[in-house]
Amino acid sequence: MPNRFLRYGDQRYIISKEAEARLDRALDAVYAKGAGHQWLNLYHGTEAPCRLLIASGVPITIETEPND
């Protein structure tokens, strides 16, 4: 399985399928429903808290890096 990363601004974070699903819901709330912004806890339920502000104008991409 390839490694997947969330690029947020100039930072890159490892992202799981579950976190990607939460990101999709946050993006839907911001862009489709006009919520303005949403906070996303990237590593929900872990000791490594990482909250990202999902808002229009913030560059966000998902990158895939193949395993060798």
Side-chain angles (χ1 to χ4, degrees), residues 1-63:
M1 176 184 263
N3 295 323
R4 295 176 57 77
F5 298 93
L6 169 69
R7 181 163 303 272
Y8 177 86
D10 62 350
Q11 299 293 316
R12 195 166 95 155
Y13 303 93
I14 295 172
I15 190 167
S16 67
K17 290 288 187 182
E18 187 266 334
E20 190 172 350
R22 286 188 284 110
L23 172 63
D24 287 342
R25 289 190 296 273
L27 289 169
D28 183 53
V30 169
Y31 289 99
K33 298 177 182 165
H37 70 276
Q38 292 277 321
W39 283 100
L40 173 69
N41 187 346
L42 192 57
Y43 305 124
H44 185 71
T46 69
E47 292 184 24
C50 180
R51 287 182 43 155
L52 304 175
L53 181 63
I54 308 303
S56 60
V58 178
I60 299 171
T61 57
I62 300 291
E63 301 174 350

